[in-house]
Amino acid sequence: MISLAGRDILHSWGKFVLTGFGLGLLIGVTLTMAGVYRGMVDDAKVLLTNSGADLWVVQKDTQGPYAESSSIKDDVYRQILGLSGVAQAANVTYLTMQVRNASRGGREERTMVVGFEPGQPGEPGYLMAGRRLVRSHYEAIADIGTGARLGDRLTIRRHEYEVVGLTRRMVSSGGDPMVFIPLKDAQEAQFLKDNDAVIADRARTAANPALNRPSVPGLLEAINASQSSNRNVNAVLVRVADGIAAESVARDIRRWKHLEAFTRAQMEDILIAKLIATAAKQIGMFLAILVIVSAAIVAFIIYTMTLGKIREIAVLKLIGTRNRTIASMILQQAMGLGLIGFVVGKIAATVWAPAFPKFVLLEPADAISGFMIVMVVCALASTLAIRAALKVDPAEAIGG
Amino acid sequence: MTATTDTGIHIAGLSKRYGAGDTAVDALKDVNMSVTPGEVIGLVGPSGSGKTTLLKCLGAVIEPTRGQMTLGGEVIYDQGWKIPDLRTLRRDRIGFVFQAPYLIPFLDVTDNVALLPMLAGRPNGESRARALELLQALDVAHRARAQVSELSGGEQQRVSIARALANQPPVILADEPTAPLDSERALAVMRILNQMARQYQTAIIVVTHDEKIIPTFKRIYHIRDGRTVEEAGEGREIE
Ligand SMILES: Nc1ncnc2c1ncn2[C@@H]1O[C@H](COP(=O)(O)OP(=O)(O)O)[C@@H](O)[C@H]1O
Ligand SMILES: [Mg+2]
């Protein structure tokens, strides 16, 4: 026996490839949407891995520093260092802002500016070019996602920073590329007031008799100094000693220090289950619609193709073709269409994924389940056409 | 209503009523007909006389209301189907030729013919050999590997006759096979049918109201209002 479906596909090859191509682009979009979600999850994991921390210590009752804002004093880390089981503890700041690149025609890029201390958790691990920070001010390590190159000059708030090192795939949970600068600079950038505001604040303080007491020399200066400097950071990254369970250290921190501490697993939960949950639902909705649209298209195409062959189907039935053979012919055509569509879609997604501004992660496992869904959808979509074909009366082949 | 051990096709007292009650139509009324192997008979009658209904009963796609049908010595209908599987009956023991060729457009010429033995479970090679043999007999072997759409109308009709013969059925039912053809081509088709009937010892029933070919039949059944009358034809030889 020959494959009727195969012969029909070969015979109307052009039509099949063309419709398969159209379907394929749709499948490509679907795979890409799944890839966008995977990319978001992966970005979150990369963010956590790159920070090099076992614990994130943040302000009490917050889920910072990525999902919510958190502010703690910058001397807290010393108390944490004193706890048993803590190997390293370091301050970090995170601030999402527009950074101007003076060397690239003043182009502005949305970035996450990270303040860190060299040699401590929070420092970027691997540089793809350049060197680590050696001066304590006005040097930056930028992710290539910012478009910056070595030697570029970035403007962050009022200061210029020279790019001395480059990283790759260092992005915030929102997908913004990172710029790393010294902690002190970052603290200043985060809380720095402009000159007018500083002058106004000083005038306000001087006008307040409670703060400006000529009988207490030096008080006004001390108050002014404390108002214009920033003693806050967003989080303390902790690395626990070998063989110590991060959770037990986290428990100590929560109990004794009136701070919140998250382990890696808890951070993943915050980032993936909470922070990107809405985005994931959005994508899920999109995927559901795309699956329905694809199904409708396949059903429509196969149904139309089948209606165009009613006469032939009547003849095939009259000369003794089994219903099963006819049904499997239509089913195979639908699956063939799905196969062409899937191949086109997979290629399309692979080709266009790198062009997306945020990371798109095409997981082979997603491709496999995508393929199965395509096949199931095509099989279901063909039932309409199969029903129509099975209803054809072989008597119709004999003229009336 | 006598069962016969003769080969060929025999119909006795066949009736067909469509619908029931006030709207019932008696399309066939007590039809009798016999066709022996190798014979080509004409079934002639005006529109609405019951020709197609008779063909559909013989072709086992509609069920008669009453009567008896015998095919190749076996009773296939006697107040009910006597064959459990009408699909294989049609496949193996009845050939169909239609007004238009109705070939399968996505199969090439050979496979259009070979499809029947294949459906009957014969191996592909054997089926194609059989198809080629028939295409040769019908003078279209040179188009064996062509696509259906590349063939002329006459060639397509010959391929469809080859398909009808493919499983060596004892009977071929031809439904107005010459209707769309001019006189010369219509006669050519009749010559082929006569030749095939003799060569393969097949009984062929040709439904027609085509005046051009009526003189070619040796025997004609006239059908009017569902009743048949048998009459001798001219049986003119076709050049
Ligand atoms: N499916 C049907 N239901 C009801 N009446 C039918 C049906 N098919 C045919 N008839 C009637 O049966 C009669 C014979 O029809 P038909 O066999 O098609 O005649 P012919 O082929 O000679 O034109 C006509 O009166 C026709 O209207
Ligand atoms: Mg008719």
Side-chain angles (χ1 to χ4, degrees):
Chain A
M1 188 58 197
I2 47 180
S3 156
L4 293 175
R7 294 306 184 84
D8 195 13
I9 291 175
L10 284 179
H11 184 254
S12 32
W13 183 237
K15 189 162 72 181
F16 258 91
V17 168
L18 226 61
T19 41
F21 192 80
L23 179 66
L25 295 181
L26 204 59
I27 292 172
V29 171
T30 312
L31 292 174
T32 309
M33 291 307 293
V36 166
Y37 171 71
R38 295 288 181 211
M40 281 163 47
V41 170
D42 199 64
D43 277 350
K45 289 186 176 163
V46 166
L47 170 68
L48 299 181
T49 304
N50 285 344
S51 69
D54 299 319
L55 286 176
W56 284 256
V57 179
V58 296
Q59 186 180 343
K60 199 165 166 27
D61 300 327
T62 74
Q63 299 196 336
Y66 311 115
E68 292 177 1
S69 74
S70 147
S71 181
I72 53 179
K73 291 295 168 198
D74 63 4
D75 54 3
V76 164
Y77 83 98
R78 286 203 210 102
Q79 306 169 27
I80 293 170
L81 267 179
L83 289 172
S84 78
V86 172
Q88 277 183 304
N91 288 323
V92 278
T93 65
Y94 297 100
L95 178 62
T96 299
M97 63 188 297
Q98 300 287 121
V99 166
R100 254 172 60 86
N101 189 335
S103 314
R104 308 270 152 207
R107 195 174 72 181
E108 281 200 356
E109 202 66 46
R110 185 150 192 86
T111 64
M112 186 187 231
V113 174
V114 182
F116 73 101
E117 285 177 302
Q120 296 293 330
E123 180 176 36
Y126 169 78
L127 300 185
M128 57 173 292
R131 58 166 173 81
R132 305 189 169 279
L133 302 191
V134 291
R135 300 209 318 258
S136 51
H137 287 294
Y138 309 131
E139 283 188 344
I141 293 170
D143 191 81
I144 50 161
T146 60
R149 296 290 170 267
L150 288 181
D152 280 5
R153 305 198 68 79
L154 306 179
T155 311
I156 298 172
R157 303 295 298 267
R158 269 193 255 145
H159 299 293
E160 272 208 347
Y161 294 78
E162 187 193 345
V163 176
V164 297
L166 292 176
T167 62
R168 174 188 286 146
R169 276 218 67 207
M170 296 290 258
V171 292
S172 74
S173 55
D176 300 321
M178 289 178 166
V179 173
F180 297 85
I181 59 175
L183 182 74
K184 285 272 176 285
D185 290 355
Q187 281 179 291
E188 196 186 315
Q190 207 172 99
F191 301 97
L192 189 66
K193 296 168 191 161
D194 62 77
N195 287 336
D196 289 342
V198 172
I199 290 165
D201 268 352
R202 283 185 184 161
R204 237 173 258 128
T205 312
N208 187 338
L211 302 176
N212 185 3
R213 293 186 183 177
S215 58
V216 187
L219 175 63
L220 184 62
E221 286 72 23
I223 290 171
N224 279 337
S226 81
Q227 277 180 346
S228 59
S229 71
N230 170 29
R231 311 275 297 141
N232 290 314
V233 292
N234 300 118
V236 173
L237 302 185
V238 174
R239 201 170 282 154
V240 299
D242 285 346
I244 302 289
E247 178 52 35
S248 74
V249 178
R251 229 173 344 211
D252 286 348
I253 294 172
R254 281 181 215 126
R255 187 173 329 145
W256 300 115
K257 303 300 173 193
H258 304 293
L259 295 164
E260 184 59 87
F262 295 113
T263 61
R264 164 84 196 221
Q266 289 165 332
M267 272 320 265
E268 275 198 28
D269 184 59
I270 289 170
L271 287 186
I272 293 160
K274 299 191 177 123
L275 187 62
I276 61 177
T278 313
K281 279 183 209 143
Q282 185 96 340
I283 289 172
M285 190 66 208
F286 228 117
L287 286 177
I289 291 172
L290 284 170
V291 167
I292 292 167
V293 170
S294 310
I297 289 179
V298 174
F300 176 76
I301 291 169
I302 293 294
Y303 187 67
T304 317
M305 281 181 176
T306 305
L307 286 193
K309 287 197 292 266
I310 286 294
R311 185 110 239 171
E312 284 82 9
I313 289 169
V315 170
L316 283 170
K317 283 185 162 187
L318 184 70
I319 64 178
T321 311
R322 284 171 203 277
N323 273 345
R324 206 195 319 137
T325 309
I326 289 167
S328 94
M329 170 177 95
I330 295 169
L331 180 69
Q332 286 173 46
Q333 285 176 340
M335 310 261 265
L337 201 59
L339 183 69
I340 296 172
F342 179 79
V343 170
V344 171
K346 181 77 187 109
I347 292 171
T350 309
V351 167
W352 68 43
F356 276 72
K358 281 171 72 171
F359 185 55
V360 175
L361 178 59
L362 300 173
E363 298 233 44
D366 285 348
I368 291 167
S369 38
F371 178 71
M372 309 228 255
I373 291 169
V374 166
M375 286 300 145
V376 169
V377 162
C378 284
L380 289 177
S382 69
T383 53
L384 201 65
I386 289 174
R387 278 172 53 120
L390 294 189
K391 266 198 284 187
V392 173
D393 185 353
E396 281 173 37
I398 299 173
Chain B
M1 298 224 311
T2 48
T4 170
T5 51
D6 188 7
T7 49
I9 187 153
H10 300 277
I11 296 169
L14 199 76
S15 298
K16 171 65 186 176
R17 166 175 289 189
Y18 287 114
D22 291 348
T23 56
V25 178
D26 285 306
L28 296 177
K29 298 163 189 156
D30 202 19
V31 169
N32 298 295
M33 181 186 272
S34 276
V35 193
T36 53
E39 189 185 21
V40 180
I41 63 112
L43 180 61
V44 182
S47 186
S49 57
K51 304 185 296 293
T52 301
T53 302
L54 181 54
L55 218 57
K56 284 180 178 172
C57 288
L58 279 172
V61 289
I62 62 172
E63 185 167 358
T65 314
R66 232 167 345 101
Q68 196 187 51
M69 295 194 289
T70 307
L71 180 62
E74 188 184 352
V75 177
I76 60 166
Y77 183 86
D78 189 1
Q79 322 299 355
W81 292 112
K82 298 294 159 197
I83 301 271
D85 186 357
L86 299 177
R87 183 179 63 77
T88 54
L89 170 76
R90 291 197 302 269
R91 183 189 70 196
D92 300 340
R93 293 163 65 189
I94 304 170
F96 293 93
V97 177
F98 313 101
Q99 201 170 98
Y102 296 156
L103 298 174
I104 308 301
F106 51 81
L107 299 179
D108 69 12
V109 166
T110 305
D111 284 346
N112 257 282
V113 179
L115 179 63
L116 272 103
M118 287 177 186
L119 286 173
R122 320 279 351 145
N124 290 1
E126 185 190 319
S127 301
R128 293 203 172 106
R130 166 89 185 137
L132 216 56
E133 195 182 296
L134 286 165
L135 292 172
Q136 248 145 20
L138 286 155
D139 217 14
V140 274
H142 60 291
R143 309 307 304 268
R145 300 257 52 118
Q147 289 300 304
V148 169
S149 56
E150 299 162 13
L151 265 55
S152 72
E155 285 172 329
Q156 288 191 17
Q157 193 59 296
R158 275 183 278 162
V159 174
S160 81
I161 294 170
R163 176 175 66 185
L165 287 161
N167 280 338
Q168 291 169 286
V171 61
I172 286 180
L173 307 175
D175 182 24
E176 313 237 12
T178 62
L181 305 178
D182 62 31
S183 167
E184 193 181 327
R185 281 180 204 180
L187 289 174
V189 167
M190 287 315 296
R191 189 183 56 229
I192 291 166
L193 287 177
N194 276 284
Q195 192 186 320
M196 294 299 126
R198 267 196 307 277
Q199 190 169 337
Y200 296 102
Q201 281 303 294
T202 305
I204 301 183
I205 299 175
V206 179
V207 164
T208 190
H209 57 253
D210 185 350
E211 295 296 333
K212 306 185 289 276
I213 63 166
I214 288 175
T216 68
F217 298 110
K218 291 197 186 73
R219 231 152 42 86
I220 294 173
Y221 284 88
H222 282 283
I223 181 165
R224 179 174 290 272
D225 289 336
R227 291 182 199 281
T228 47
V229 179
E230 188 191 335
E231 142 185 318
E234 295 176 37
R236 205 182 282 165
E237 281 300 315
I238 310 155
E239 293 314 308

